[in-house]
Amino acid sequence: MNFELDEIFIEEDSRASALARRVIEALSPRVPIRFVADARAATLADRNAADPFGKGKRRMVIMRRRGAFLMGCPAASARYACCGYLVLALASNCPMDCSYCFLQDYLADNPGFQVYSNYADAFAELGRLAAGSPERQFRVGTGEFADSLAFDSITGVAREFVEFFAAHRNLTLELKTKTDEIDGLLSIEPRGATMVSWTVSPERVYRTSERRTAPPSARLRAARCVLEAGYRVAFHLDPIIAYPGAEDDYPRLAEEILDTVAPEKISFVSMGSLRMTPALRTAARRRFPDDPMLLGEDILCPDGRYRAFTPLRLRLYRQIADRFSRAGAPVQTYLCMEPASVHRRIFAAEAPTPADARERLCCAG
Amino acid sequence: MTTLEAEQAIRALAGARQLQDPYLKRWLAREQAERVAMLDAARKLRLRTGQLAVALDLLEEIAVREGAGIDSILSRENLQRLIESKGPAPARASAFIAELRAIRFPRLGATLRRLSAEISALALPSGVNVVLPKDLNSDELVIRISVRSPDEFDRLMTMLAEKRDGLARLVRMLGGDDEL
């Protein structure tokens, strides 16, 4: 994809890393590069900038990750019926710029676009996870704090992870993206251990709110390509935005997904309505004051997040879930950041435990 | 009113109301016709500080949602009636804010009206209250029974059981049932 980088900081410790070499080769001299002893200061927000978060996106920082790579999903909570997703933090922030993105608040203090040079250390963490519970399945995604593929043409990291997961039968890698940057994946044999998932939105949301992402039709075409290359595919309808016309657009989007990928080939579909903490709502509206998608009929819910009021939100879920349930083959569908009572209403079944959900989602499709 | 006169008048009003600076800046940043229309409404309704801030928030949001100018929104008949009528300003100001909310949250308002009509149609006995979640922010319906004797309890439980289908329908409506 077309990066808009102002500068690159590389930590001295990372200068000789394979990742730094690839980035330098791909972007120098087009983008100025500075070497620094400790790059942590370069990740911090420039409070004097008109848009500190946007400025952070344009500053790539190649550095060592100091903490663990593997962690529980930050959205997980006993309040919700969760999916048991694990997150692998290979990067932080994203070159795309969606108006609703939770990173605008989550990374408000350190929005620099960090890419971790010591990513190979994650293999040891993953190895311990796999060996520690060989009878259990784990779904691990790299698309929580960054898009999994947006910068892979430069960093080339995805290949190593696809190959690592292919050798561990109780680990499933999820590469989550809004791009169509799949060329690097097509020559690798994933051996059923990697799924590529696309966050998809109706055309109207894409046009108003998803800057620098691939058009929804291109994402679906890319899904078809990776499926033919041996990958599993999944879709996230998240965020679902309850704008006027959404009742028509989302079922149509479900239709387009099913026209592109046969239902039995879809590993899962997740759904989550647009939800925003007050801080995120303020940050997003400040950055995108003219985006009508940020001005839905959202009200403050008991968990402290703004969402579309309940009957409207649940009706949308039901319409989409109904379309997938009539697909001709079962499609695993789940809700993100919704309580078990909502799960019961939409699917007429008890929500699985996170451990059960994890097993199901790893084995489906 | 010239641009300068409008700015001076807005600053004077904002000063008198101790309106927070970010609100004042947003107000002044609007087109001349919009800021004058807002000034006219604020003066005639004698909006208090909180009302002024809420009105600015709501008008800005409606403007983005509908792709309309604030002056055009304020020129609507239902709002003009409140701005121009002769009744007491506090009541008109409250009704003005309520009307802006109704414009900003049209489907929420319509759903609340339908649910309230369903509750009224149930004709629940005195002592039984059905409480909708605030702004329909959850799918939980609260049914409150107030009693002072075992006999009264028995009587209300019997009457409540008779309303079972209607109450179940309310619970379904809260969950976005397509009957809505």
Side-chain angles (χ1 to χ4, degrees), chain A residues 68-326:
Chain A
F69 283 87
L70 194 59
M71 64 191 81
C73 172
S77 159
R79 285 174 177 273
Y80 312 126
C82 286
C83 67
Y85 181 55
L86 295 174
V87 171
L88 198 61
L90 302 181
S92 176
N93 215 336
C94 170
M96 293 174 279
D97 203 3
C98 299
S99 63
Y100 50 73
C101 181
F102 84 104
L103 296 177
Q104 294 173 99
D105 178 44
Y106 197 82
L107 299 177
D109 293 333
N110 52 346
F113 176 26
Q114 304 166 50
V115 188
Y116 303 119
S117 59
N118 57 332
Y119 63 86
D121 293 350
F123 295 134
E125 291 181 41
L126 290 164
R128 284 194 295 276
L129 175 74
S133 302
E135 74 292 352
R136 292 167 63 190
Q137 292 288 326
F138 298 98
R139 175 174 142 244
V140 182
T142 60
E144 192 66 16
F145 304 122
D147 185 281
S148 296
L149 298 178
F151 48 96
D152 201 61
S153 61
I154 295 171
T155 61
V157 166
R159 165 181 288 273
E160 293 176 55
F161 281 88
V162 173
E163 288 172 349
F164 178 88
F165 276 73
H168 292 78
R169 301 314 298 170
N170 65 331
L171 297 182
T172 297
L173 173 64
E174 180 178 343
L175 299 171
K176 184 157 63 174
T177 188
K178 283 183 188 154
T179 74
D180 57 355
E181 305 256 326
I182 52 167
D183 290 351
L185 299 178
L186 300 181
S187 60
I188 319 169
E189 172 48 65
R191 297 174 64 188
T194 296
M195 63 174 71
V196 190
S197 67
W198 272 269
T199 301
V200 280
S201 302
E203 187 74 19
R204 215 180 315 189
V205 176
Y206 159 70
R207 287 196 180 157
T208 56
S209 311
E210 298 182 345
R211 284 147 199 82
R212 294 200 285 278
T213 64
S217 57
R219 296 180 219 175
L220 294 182
R221 278 198 301 276
R224 181 65 172 264
C225 284
V226 299
L227 183 70
E228 288 166 359
Y231 289 86
R232 296 157 64 191
V233 297
F235 297 95
H236 298 277
L237 273 67
D238 193 346
I240 292 170
I241 304 179
Y243 58 89
E247 297 92 337
D248 298 323
D249 289 355
Y250 280 96
R252 193 179 304 126
L253 178 64
E255 203 75 52
E256 286 164 8
I257 291 171
L258 291 165
D259 284 347
T260 308
V261 181
E264 64 273 16
K265 298 290 187 187
I266 298 174
S267 286
F268 63 78
V269 172
S270 82
M271 298 188 288
S273 72
L274 178 65
R275 61 267 183 200
M276 293 188 152
T277 60
L280 171 58
R281 194 172 185 240
T282 302
R285 287 183 178 186
R286 188 182 303 126
R287 295 191 68 230
F288 301 101
D290 298 325
D291 187 340
M293 296 297 169
L294 300 176
L295 296 168
E297 296 194 46
D298 298 346
I299 41 82
L300 193 59
C301 291
D303 67 351
R305 288 177 166 80
Y306 284 91
R307 290 181 177 81
F309 68 92
T310 307
L312 177 62
R313 189 170 91 247
L314 270 57
R315 197 178 320 150
L316 262 176
Y317 284 150
R318 190 170 291 116
Q319 285 173 333
I320 301 166
D322 283 351
R323 183 60 199 91
F324 283 110
S325 72
R326 289 186 281 106

